[in-house]
Amino acid sequence: MSEQHTPLPDDFRTWLTERGEGAYALARVTEGSVWTEAEVPRVGETGIARAGADLTRIVPQEVTHGHRETLRRWLQLDDGVQQLAIISADSGGLREHTPGELAAQLMHDPAGGEARLTDLLASWLYRRNAEAPQGLELGWITAATAWTCHMRALASYPPPSVLAQSLERAGEHDEATADLVVRTALENIELLDRLEHVYRPRAELVKDWHAVESRSADVPALTETADWLLDQIALRDAHAQQLRAVLEPDITDYLRDLRAGGAPLDVTVPTLDAPRAAHMAQARETVRAYTAAAHAEREQEAQQLLDTFPIPAHSLGASGPAGAWRQNSATAQDAVEDLEAQRAAITAEESTDLFADPELLHAEISYLAARRAQLDVMHDAFGRLAFPAPVPRDLPEELIPRAAAQTQRRVIEAFGTLEHAAQVLDGQIHYQLQQPVPARRRAITGAETGLLKRTRAALQHVMAPGIPHDEEYIRARLRKATARPATPAGIAPAAPTAHDEAHAQALASGPTASGVNR
């Protein structure tokens, strides 16, 4: 008996283990992924069992027991709209299975039941064809692609017995349709095999992306593969990498904690805070949107994205505020050192990157240069907030408001909006306060948190709204002024005041605009 609509527990692995021996969870997995530059997605899996996966994306449907019941229920529940994961638990953690893996085990089961298994698979294959949006011949292409994604562990293409029953259910017995299904499955296998070779020219990756993208709308298991191909293409596109450099938040603190404390099982690595995680997702999707437009002959759309988020025109590495921020923020100093280390690694004489794909190398160098310029702007903005410079002694009084406005201008240049900057600071503060604090930064976390809080308070002061204009009051004053009677004859007008003279001079010397009655 299956347990229906099980709520997600706090410790999913322990909870699933307690369901008994041979227990599997059938679960929908909501969208969400991590930017991975090299790992090839395993087609047919959601990736929810990988290390570091966000388990909150799991929406449990049922708990089943045994290979046969689990496969039967998966074949019945699969709707071709959202991926349905098969998850088991053991002492090492979670493990994800493909339906083809379970089917292969049942096919070699000494207990038999091959005819029953064939009937289940044929029914599923027919339904994937019948429910495909295109219908007719294209429906069989969708069914063959679904087989490749989910049943590859059993066979590269539907076995003759399965295919024959599926065609019979559809009322189609011609060899042409059977050849179409087999040929489509084999083409898909060749495509998936090519994905194992990560370092390929961009043109080949673009060709494969077009092929996968055209089928991912009807086969959700290919969505992650299509996104991964876009990421690989973006890594070879200098403009995409510059866009990424401007949009990604600085998560140096999280990455260093991950590298330093991710190995031992008894070490808890803090999770990335929600604001910066959301900013990372926004950056990833924007870069993918640009890459898709740039390689789908939508050049105007791609250029609009580049124009919307321009890279800093020049580096501000030598600015006083940026230097002050790096001197007091260990995370900021780490971010600069990491970038310099990456640049030194790819330009060193013994570096193997010198012999890599020229497009990949050029794009990486473009990213590092744009990222350094972006870090300079961000650090300059935070430095101006945390360590405001006194007004220069010889600065004309008229320029004092203009100088004060430079802080707000720099924050907006670095983060787009003051609210976005506030979200970044809130995220960094939340991250620093997570418990337990990793050993590598216990000595600096207090000072880092205090600096971030002081900067956040200064930003709040900058964000404080000015005195709002009372439009009704202004209209009333205007009506009153225009309704005054003319000066009676024989009464000389009042002598001009100093304010009137200054106002007249301003009108005389100020810029003029055509069609405006001053």
Side-chain angles (χ1 to χ4, degrees):
M1 178 66 68
S2 300
E3 301 177 17
Q4 305 291 329
H5 305 293
T6 310
L8 182 65
D10 294 333
D11 188 343
F12 188 77
R13 186 196 66 80
T14 301
W15 174 85
L16 185 55
T17 302
E18 293 173 349
R19 300 304 98 185
E21 185 177 354
Y24 294 87
L26 298 180
R28 306 286 180 188
V29 179
T30 59
E31 292 184 2
S33 60
V34 178
W35 187 301
T36 55
E37 298 185 354
E39 184 179 4
V40 181
R42 293 184 285 272
V43 178
E45 296 184 14
T46 63
I48 198 62
R50 299 176 196 171
D54 181 9
L55 298 184
T56 60
R57 295 165 51 203
I58 295 177
V59 182
Q61 301 293 300
E62 290 187 4
V63 172
T64 57
H65 293 81
H67 297 160
R68 189 175 301 280
E69 180 193 3
T70 302
L71 178 62
R72 179 181 64 82
R73 290 299 295 154
W74 187 94
L75 294 172
Q76 292 175 348
L77 294 174
D78 176 49
D79 57 7
V81 176
Q82 188 178 10
Q83 283 209 74
L84 182 63
I86 303 174
I87 307 171
S88 67
D90 53 32
S91 58
L94 296 176
R95 181 184 174 189
E96 187 172 0
H97 308 264
T98 65
E101 179 185 336
L102 300 184
Q105 294 172 348
L106 290 173
M107 189 66 74
H108 299 91
D109 188 350
E114 182 175 342
R116 183 179 177 186
L117 177 62
T118 298
D119 182 69
L120 288 173
L121 294 175
S123 176
W124 171 78
L125 185 65
Y126 160 73
R127 196 173 77 250
R128 292 307 298 264
N129 160 65
E131 296 177 356
Q134 308 95 331
L136 301 178
E137 183 177 275
L138 295 178
W140 285 113
I141 294 178
T142 298
T145 302
W147 179 280
T148 303
C149 294
H150 297 295
M151 302 297 172
R152 187 181 182 185
L154 172 64
S156 298
Y157 55 87
S161 58
V162 173
L163 182 55
Q165 284 197 32
S166 297
L167 293 174
E168 183 177 353
R169 290 171 186 264
E172 303 178 37
H173 305 280
D174 56 300
E175 294 185 4
T177 303
D179 290 341
L180 172 66
V181 173
V182 173
R183 185 171 67 253
T184 301
L186 293 177
E187 290 174 355
N188 291 330
I189 290 296
E190 292 178 0
L191 173 61
L192 298 181
D193 287 342
R194 287 199 298 272
L195 297 183
E196 300 295 333
H197 305 286
V198 177
Y199 298 105
R200 292 188 289 141
R202 178 166 48 160
E204 292 184 11
L205 294 170
V206 171
K207 182 179 179 181
D208 287 346
W209 171 70
H210 281 292
V212 173
E213 179 70 12
S214 64
R215 300 175 183 178
S216 62
D218 301 320
V219 184
L222 288 176
T223 301
E224 185 180 3
T225 303
D227 289 342
W228 180 84
L229 282 168
L230 278 180
D231 293 345
Q232 292 299 309
I233 296 168
L235 289 173
R236 291 154 177 80
D237 187 316
H239 292 304
Q241 289 306 296
Q242 290 173 336
L243 183 62
R244 174 190 168 195
V246 172
L247 291 175
E248 282 187 341
D250 183 12
I251 58 171
T252 303
D253 45 3
Y254 170 70
L255 294 178
R256 287 219 163 183
D257 288 346
L258 199 62
R259 290 195 297 266
L265 295 177
D266 59 343
V267 174
T268 301
V269 179
T271 57
L272 183 60
D273 49 275
R276 288 188 296 171
H279 296 166
M280 283 291 292
Q282 293 166 2
R284 180 176 59 247
E285 294 307 319
T286 304
V287 172
R288 285 175 179 170
Y290 161 79
T291 307
H295 296 89
E297 300 182 354
R298 303 196 306 270
E299 292 81 2
Q300 184 177 2
E301 181 181 335
Q303 188 60 47
Q304 286 175 346
L305 283 171
L306 295 180
D307 294 340
T308 303
F309 301 101
I311 63 174
H314 59 278
S315 175
L316 296 172
S319 75
W325 180 259
R326 290 168 188 162
Q327 184 177 357
N328 290 271
S329 170
T331 299
Q333 187 60 40
D334 286 348
V336 174
E337 291 175 355
D338 284 353
L339 281 182
E340 294 303 322
Q342 292 178 52
R343 178 184 290 273
I346 66 174
T347 57
E349 293 184 359
E350 66 276 9
S351 174
T352 57
D353 285 339
L354 293 176
F355 305 97
D357 180 356
E359 285 187 326
L360 188 63
L361 183 59
H362 173 60
E364 186 173 2
I365 293 175
S366 299
Y367 168 79
L368 294 176
R371 188 61 175 172
R372 176 56 192 268
Q374 181 66 17
L375 280 182
D376 290 342
V377 175
M378 290 192 293
H379 293 170
D380 182 87
F382 283 158
R384 289 172 183 269
L385 289 169
F387 310 102
V391 178
R393 183 181 58 184
D394 298 327
L395 187 68
E397 185 176 353
E398 293 79 4
L399 292 180
I400 293 178
R402 181 176 175 182
Q406 294 304 306
T407 296
Q408 181 174 349
R409 175 178 175 271
R410 183 67 74 200
V411 174
I412 293 176
E413 180 183 357
F415 298 97
T417 64
L418 299 178
E419 291 75 14
H420 194 90
Q423 292 170 1
V424 169
L425 285 170
D426 289 340
Q428 288 181 299
I429 294 171
H430 179 272
Y431 181 84
Q432 293 287 328
L433 294 177
Q434 288 184 82
Q435 298 295 329
V437 178
R440 61 166 290 273
R441 60 177 174 84
R442 286 173 185 166
I444 61 175
T445 292
E448 187 82 8
T449 304
L451 176 62
L452 291 170
K453 288 183 176 180
R454 187 168 79 248
T455 307
R456 181 64 174 87
L459 178 61
Q460 189 66 35
H461 178 73
V462 172
M463 296 173 65
I467 300 175
H469 293 291
D470 189 336
E471 296 182 1
E472 290 300 325
Y473 174 75
I474 294 174
R475 290 193 185 97
R477 290 290 303 272
L478 181 61
R479 286 193 296 268
K480 182 177 180 181
T482 55
R484 288 175 181 171
T487 303
I491 300 178
T497 64
H499 173 77
D500 294 332
E501 292 179 354
H503 182 61
Q505 292 176 3
L507 291 178
S509 61
T512 60
S514 176
V516 177
N517 183 2
R518 294 186 178 274

